[in-house]
Amino acid sequence: MDKGKAVMGSGRRWAVEFTDNSTSPSSRDIPDPPGFTRGAHDQDESTVSKQKKDAEANWKAQKAWEVAQAPFKNLLMMGFMMWMSGSTVHLFSIGITFSALWQPINALRGVGKVFEPYKDNKVDLLVPKLAFIALNLVGLGLGVWKLNTLGLLPTHVSDWVSSLPPAQEVEFSGGGIPLH
Amino acid sequence: MNMAIRVFLLLLIIFSSMYPTLCIYEDQVGHMDWHQQYIGKVKHAVFHTQKAARKRVVVSTEENVVASIDLRRGEIFWRHVLGPKDVIDALDIALGKYVITLSSEGTILRAWNLPDGQMMWETTLSGSTPSMSLLSIPTNLKIGKDDVVFVYGSGCLYAVASVDGEVIWKKELTSEGVHIQQLIYPDGTDIICAVGLAGLAQFDAYQINVKTGELLKHSSMVFPAGFSGDLSFITSDIAVTLDSTGSILVAVHFQDGEISFHQTHVSELGWDFSGPAVLLPTKLPGMFALEINKSIVFIKVTNEGKLEAVDKLGQSTAVSESLNLSEGQQAFGLIQRGDGKIILTVKLGNDWTSNLLQETIQMDHQRGNAHKVFINTYVRTDRSNGFRALIVMEDHSLFLLQQGEIVWSREDGLASITDVMASELPVEKDGVSVAKVEHNLFEWLKGHLLKLKGTLMIATPDDVVAIQKLRLQSSGKSKMTRDHNGFRKLLIVLTRAGKLFALHTGDGRIVWSLFLDSLRKSETCQNPRGLSLHQWQDPHHHVLDENPSVLVVGRCDHSTDSPGVLSVVDTYTGQERNHLGPRHSITRVIPLPFTDSAEQRLHLLLDVNRQAHLYPRTTEALDIFQRELGNIYWYSADVDKGILKGHAVQNNCILKIADSYCFNTRDLWSIILPSESEKIIATATRNLNEAVHTQAKVTSDQEVMYKYISKNLLFLATVAPKAVGPIGSVTPEESWLVVYVIDTVTGRILHRMTHHGSQGPVQAVFSENWVVYHYFNLKAHRYEMSVIEIYDQSRSDNKDILKLLLGKHNLTSPITAYSRPEVIAKSQSYFFMHSVKTLAVTSTAKGITSKQLLLGTIGDQVLALDKRFLDPRRTVNPTQAEKEEGIIPLTDSLPIIPQSYVTHALKVEGLRGIATVPAKLESTTLVFAYGVDLFFTRLAPSRTYDSLTEDFSYALLLITIAALVIAIFVTWIWSEKKELQEKWR
């Protein structure tokens, strides 16, 4: 790795330009072949590049949608796992539940990063992003629901009063049958 | 946090839903428990030394124990504990192989095999009139082919064959109300003489044919001045008694049915005697003893029938019975108390002036005076007579003296424990002496290596033995300092003799003992006895330098209005710090929930006049008390009248001498139980020190029930007056049991329930918000146990989570009984197989661990029963959720799981009480069961979830960790090397 860096750092010594993008014939030593009109080619080329760009944008949008839909598969998978793990608290079900919670949270934290490669002026990423977020939220919800079914959410009165110490008494009374 | 608690609770529930088995493995016996056997204060002793391979002494005691004791070491060969009402009246050896006991007021005669203690026969001698019971075993008398035993009991004289217990003849001697006091059988004759008094004014002598039981002659003579009651028999035809005034000695000659009286005034005896005399029960040859003016006078009866005082000794002298020596001589022993020593004197019967033996033995002052002495003789190598003496001291301990030395001693006072209290040991620090049991590092390592071997199953049989030994004498067990688990404590016990002992919980040894001066007989206090023990000072926080102490409450006499005595004893040193009294009478002791700055607990002592006395008598205590005066109440339960009364403490009492620590009380409420239908037989209250962790009980559907937790609750059980007697004395229709739960501040009856067709005895235990009681169901012919749980309904509407979240609830604010909270009680009953002697409940430091009931069974064992079996929410078909919560399907009887006997294979003979003490470790509780025997163990009702087992191999853990660390280093070095090589390639 160090080697590569050092070489890159020293810059270019020489370069060959294979593409010729110049449009004016005057700048060339060699005249154009007969039947070749530079202008027509130019125009054609521009349409090609445009097409190319469109294709890329399409591809990016498609990919973004794919990425956005990825949690759905995950969701199904999680659902299946949760169903398998049952509703009693043990190591497996707790592990599943926590991973079901952790994955969406992690994904939501990295929304920007996930869609980074598909960033494009022409591509509207908002909808896929929203879909992605929504699906992950559904996943999160599923995790929370699972947590609740396991009874690990403090949603009952019992969760709040179970360790309340007994109330103090104002009065004190003692006595009983006489000692004998 | 709450989630963590929930997870923890759920895990706990899961763990607890498995049936906990308390059983231990065979090699764990004695590991954390100890068992001590005692016999109690010896009443009679018979030596069996001649022609016996193993010399022994057979004794009977005040705890109704018959035991055979090894004369060499003082160990028990065999022992039988008779029932509490089966009092042993007489004991002797017949045929040289049977121990004969006469018990239950002369109605039960038993023979025990001398070598092994098996019962050979038992004869019930039925009679109608209660009388003295006498046993006489002639040495050489046969009726037909059988050797006989003469028994007088219930007004009848019996001749019983000593080989099989068959009654040969029976003769009733109750005519004219004669109370027979002695059976006299002169050897070789055919006549047995029964001598007694009738109505304290007439002397009666019966002569009966020993072969047939035929009454040969009955002679009687009236003594107009009247007798004082007791006869002392000098020879086979002379008895001595006192007249009713106690100033005239009457010698009665009754040879051959001819009765004559010879009167001698006490003052004529030679010394200056004045005041009334008391005849002492002695059996001396030609002699008797009188107690006059706190001294004992020995009086000889000369051949002419004249009385002659021979010596005067101190009151604390004990005299033995006469002992037959060879050549027809008789000897007897005397024990006198000196300063820090006792003097044993053996004299010949006819010669007071010379001593056969006089020995001085060092004896601890803590043992008090000698109460009884029994002597025995043996032939020395020079053919003279040697003597050994068995002495019973005032603190009920037993000693064998021989050749001027104590051969062995037994602390039999511990057989009669009346109260128990636990105390902490000193904190370990520099200067506090740590016992010699400390190991050095090498020993420690060796021990752990051995354990490791055991774990890895590579131990040789020798190693296994060594491991077991190590376990039993586990180093830390008997240290004299506090441990961080709180297993090591001192058990302070008060015995009936008035002696305090401190027992170490590790091995049960006596750390110190103290014979309280205030509980000793004195001028001002004639019959003192200890009543109860209370925690006086229990330093925790800022006064750790102070030693903890206990309060011993005693009373001078048997009546409730006799003056009381108090003393405070330091539990570290075993020294009495101070004592008070005799002063006002003490009927109730109420430890108050307040302590002063030195952490001395305030106590309120009530006297018969219903005046309350505050202790400690300091102004600080008075200030605290005055501040809380309005909130202090007390209640009295009068069993005879059937009245329960509530009182409040009012103002200072009006006395001749002003006493600012004395308060008047006034009546607040009373509950009068109808005397024709209810009689109080049992009460139970909560232990004041009990810790309760939470007020809420979470049910399976996440709902909450609020426990009604109050320290002022009283459980009261009454039965129909007819049903007070034993089981079976009434029909189910005329018997009922009524139970009450009463608030003792307001007198409000929270719950009342009637069990028709049931009767006592009732044993009950109150803890947290529940009470469990045990009684007999006459209809079902079975014992039953019931549980009552009390819940607070007024709190149940606290359902808003947001409020709870913000802490806006009144669940922890102080409550008053006058707010009359609405309560509901849930109850359920179950059949139970055993009758129960005593009930207790485990207690832990924070009250989180689930509870177990400890039942003292009729077989003198302690059985642990999970509280979950006594849960009113049990149903026949619990739902899945309820099952998860740990609710057991309802069954009509409670199971007895053999593994849950806390005492495993041992018996705590004569079990009277069970005390539980919380250890510092939340899961563990210390259990001390006492009766004639003592037993201590520790229990973990939900198993030890908060600590590793004692067998845990720390060595293995350390070795594993060390191996892992080494492995990490080695692999790290390897990887470094490999990487370097990679780079060079």
Side-chain angles (χ1 to χ4, degrees), chain B residues 38-59:
Chain B
Y38 294 102
I39 51 175
K41 187 186 183 185
V42 170
K43 282 199 291 195
H44 310 106
V46 181
F47 289 89
H48 183 71
T49 50
Q50 263 135 28
K51 293 181 228 156
R54 295 199 289 182
K55 291 185 173 29
R56 65 189 81 213
V57 57
V58 182
V59 295

Short mmCIF file of all heavy atoms in Angstrom, two decimals, chain B residues 38-59:
data_model
loop_
_atom_site.label_atom_id
_atom_site.label_comp_id
_atom_site.label_asym_id
_atom_site.label_seq_id
_atom_site.Cartn_x
_atom_site.Cartn_y
_atom_site.Cartn_z
N TYR B 38 -27.71 -33.29 73.56
CA TYR B 38 -27.67 -33.03 75.00
C TYR B 38 -28.72 -33.88 75.70
O TYR B 38 -29.52 -34.56 75.05
CB TYR B 38 -27.91 -31.55 75.28
CG TYR B 38 -26.80 -30.69 74.75
CD1 TYR B 38 -26.95 -29.99 73.57
CD2 TYR B 38 -25.59 -30.61 75.41
CE1 TYR B 38 -25.92 -29.22 73.07
CE2 TYR B 38 -24.56 -29.86 74.92
CZ TYR B 38 -24.72 -29.16 73.75
OH TYR B 38 -23.70 -28.42 73.27
N ILE B 39 -28.71 -33.81 77.03
CA ILE B 39 -29.70 -34.60 77.77
C ILE B 39 -30.52 -33.75 78.74
O ILE B 39 -31.63 -34.10 79.06
CB ILE B 39 -29.06 -35.79 78.50
CG1 ILE B 39 -27.87 -35.33 79.34
CG2 ILE B 39 -28.66 -36.88 77.52
CD1 ILE B 39 -27.27 -36.42 80.19
N GLY B 40 -29.99 -32.62 79.16
CA GLY B 40 -30.73 -31.80 80.11
C GLY B 40 -30.22 -32.00 81.53
O GLY B 40 -29.26 -32.73 81.77
N LYS B 41 -30.89 -31.35 82.47
CA LYS B 41 -30.44 -31.41 83.86
C LYS B 41 -30.76 -32.78 84.45
O LYS B 41 -31.92 -33.21 84.46
CB LYS B 41 -31.12 -30.31 84.66
CG LYS B 41 -30.57 -30.21 86.06
CD LYS B 41 -31.35 -29.23 86.90
CE LYS B 41 -30.72 -29.11 88.27
NZ LYS B 41 -31.49 -28.27 89.16
N VAL B 42 -29.73 -33.40 84.98
CA VAL B 42 -29.88 -34.77 85.48
C VAL B 42 -30.66 -34.77 86.79
O VAL B 42 -30.41 -33.97 87.69
CB VAL B 42 -28.49 -35.41 85.65
CG1 VAL B 42 -28.57 -36.72 86.40
CG2 VAL B 42 -27.84 -35.59 84.30
N LYS B 43 -31.66 -35.65 86.87
CA LYS B 43 -32.46 -35.80 88.10
C LYS B 43 -32.02 -37.02 88.89
O LYS B 43 -31.88 -36.98 90.10
CB LYS B 43 -33.93 -35.98 87.74
CG LYS B 43 -34.65 -34.75 87.36
CD LYS B 43 -36.15 -34.93 87.46
CE LYS B 43 -36.68 -35.88 86.43
NZ LYS B 43 -38.15 -35.80 86.29
N HIS B 44 -31.91 -38.14 88.17
CA HIS B 44 -31.51 -39.39 88.82
C HIS B 44 -30.32 -39.94 88.06
O HIS B 44 -30.24 -39.79 86.85
CB HIS B 44 -32.63 -40.43 88.75
CG HIS B 44 -33.95 -39.93 89.19
ND1 HIS B 44 -34.95 -39.66 88.30
CD2 HIS B 44 -34.44 -39.64 90.42
CE1 HIS B 44 -36.01 -39.22 88.96
NE2 HIS B 44 -35.73 -39.21 90.25
N ALA B 45 -29.46 -40.61 88.78
CA ALA B 45 -28.34 -41.27 88.11
C ALA B 45 -28.08 -42.58 88.81
O ALA B 45 -28.11 -42.65 90.04
CB ALA B 45 -27.10 -40.39 88.16
N VAL B 46 -27.87 -43.60 88.02
CA VAL B 46 -27.54 -44.90 88.57
C VAL B 46 -26.27 -45.37 87.86
O VAL B 46 -26.24 -45.42 86.63
CB VAL B 46 -28.68 -45.92 88.36
CG1 VAL B 46 -28.31 -47.26 88.98
CG2 VAL B 46 -29.97 -45.41 88.94
N PHE B 47 -25.27 -45.70 88.64
CA PHE B 47 -24.02 -46.16 88.03
C PHE B 47 -24.12 -47.64 87.71
O PHE B 47 -24.75 -48.40 88.42
CB PHE B 47 -22.85 -45.93 88.99
CG PHE B 47 -22.51 -44.48 89.16
CD1 PHE B 47 -23.11 -43.72 90.14
CD2 PHE B 47 -21.56 -43.89 88.35
CE1 PHE B 47 -22.80 -42.39 90.30
CE2 PHE B 47 -21.23 -42.56 88.51
CZ PHE B 47 -21.85 -41.81 89.49
N HIS B 48 -23.48 -48.01 86.63
CA HIS B 48 -23.38 -49.42 86.30
C HIS B 48 -21.92 -49.68 85.98
O HIS B 48 -21.47 -49.47 84.87
CB HIS B 48 -24.28 -49.75 85.11
CG HIS B 48 -24.27 -51.20 84.75
ND1 HIS B 48 -24.88 -52.14 85.54
CD2 HIS B 48 -23.72 -51.86 83.73
CE1 HIS B 48 -24.70 -53.34 85.00
NE2 HIS B 48 -23.99 -53.19 83.90
N THR B 49 -21.20 -50.05 87.01
CA THR B 49 -19.76 -50.18 86.82
C THR B 49 -19.25 -51.58 87.11
O THR B 49 -18.20 -51.97 86.61
CB THR B 49 -19.01 -49.20 87.76
OG1 THR B 49 -19.52 -49.38 89.07
CG2 THR B 49 -19.20 -47.78 87.30
N GLN B 50 -20.00 -52.32 87.93
CA GLN B 50 -19.49 -53.64 88.27
C GLN B 50 -19.81 -54.65 87.19
O GLN B 50 -20.89 -54.63 86.62
CB GLN B 50 -20.09 -54.10 89.61
CG GLN B 50 -19.15 -53.81 90.76
CD GLN B 50 -19.86 -53.21 91.94
OE1 GLN B 50 -21.04 -53.47 92.12
NE2 GLN B 50 -19.15 -52.44 92.74
N LYS B 51 -18.85 -55.45 86.91
CA LYS B 51 -18.98 -56.53 85.93
C LYS B 51 -19.45 -55.98 84.57
O LYS B 51 -20.23 -56.59 83.87
CB LYS B 51 -20.00 -57.58 86.41
CG LYS B 51 -19.53 -58.35 87.62
CD LYS B 51 -20.58 -59.37 87.99
CE LYS B 51 -20.90 -59.35 89.47
NZ LYS B 51 -22.22 -59.86 89.75
N ALA B 52 -19.04 -54.76 84.27
CA ALA B 52 -19.44 -54.20 82.99
C ALA B 52 -18.19 -53.89 82.19
O ALA B 52 -17.24 -53.31 82.71
CB ALA B 52 -20.25 -52.92 83.19
N ALA B 53 -18.20 -54.31 80.94
CA ALA B 53 -17.03 -54.04 80.11
C ALA B 53 -16.90 -52.55 79.87
O ALA B 53 -15.82 -51.99 79.94
CB ALA B 53 -17.19 -54.78 78.78
N ARG B 54 -18.04 -51.93 79.59
CA ARG B 54 -18.02 -50.49 79.38
C ARG B 54 -18.73 -49.85 80.55
O ARG B 54 -19.94 -50.02 80.72
CB ARG B 54 -18.71 -50.14 78.07
CG ARG B 54 -17.96 -50.71 76.88
CD ARG B 54 -18.34 -50.01 75.62
NE ARG B 54 -19.69 -50.33 75.20
CZ ARG B 54 -20.23 -49.85 74.09
NH1 ARG B 54 -19.54 -49.03 73.34
NH2 ARG B 54 -21.45 -50.18 73.75
N LYS B 55 -17.98 -49.15 81.35
CA LYS B 55 -18.58 -48.54 82.53
C LYS B 55 -19.48 -47.40 82.09
O LYS B 55 -19.14 -46.61 81.23
CB LYS B 55 -17.48 -48.02 83.45
CG LYS B 55 -16.68 -49.13 84.09
CD LYS B 55 -15.71 -48.57 85.06
CE LYS B 55 -14.97 -49.62 85.87
NZ LYS B 55 -14.77 -50.91 85.27
N ARG B 56 -20.65 -47.34 82.70
CA ARG B 56 -21.61 -46.32 82.28
C ARG B 56 -22.42 -45.83 83.46
O ARG B 56 -22.44 -46.44 84.53
CB ARG B 56 -22.54 -46.88 81.21
CG ARG B 56 -23.42 -47.99 81.73
CD ARG B 56 -24.15 -48.65 80.61
NE ARG B 56 -23.33 -49.62 79.92
CZ ARG B 56 -23.42 -49.88 78.62
NH1 ARG B 56 -24.23 -49.21 77.87
NH2 ARG B 56 -22.67 -50.80 78.08
N VAL B 57 -23.07 -44.70 83.23
CA VAL B 57 -24.02 -44.20 84.21
C VAL B 57 -25.33 -43.94 83.48
O VAL B 57 -25.33 -43.39 82.39
CB VAL B 57 -23.46 -42.95 84.95
CG1 VAL B 57 -23.10 -41.83 83.99
CG2 VAL B 57 -24.46 -42.43 85.97
N VAL B 58 -26.40 -44.44 84.06
CA VAL B 58 -27.71 -44.25 83.46
C VAL B 58 -28.38 -43.08 84.16
O VAL B 58 -28.42 -43.05 85.39
CB VAL B 58 -28.56 -45.52 83.58
CG1 VAL B 58 -29.90 -45.34 82.90
CG2 VAL B 58 -27.83 -46.69 82.98
N VAL B 59 -28.87 -42.14 83.39
CA VAL B 59 -29.45 -40.95 84.00
C VAL B 59 -30.84 -40.69 83.45
O VAL B 59 -31.18 -41.10 82.34
CB VAL B 59 -28.57 -39.70 83.75
CG1 VAL B 59 -27.24 -39.82 84.42
CG2 VAL B 59 -28.40 -39.43 82.27
#
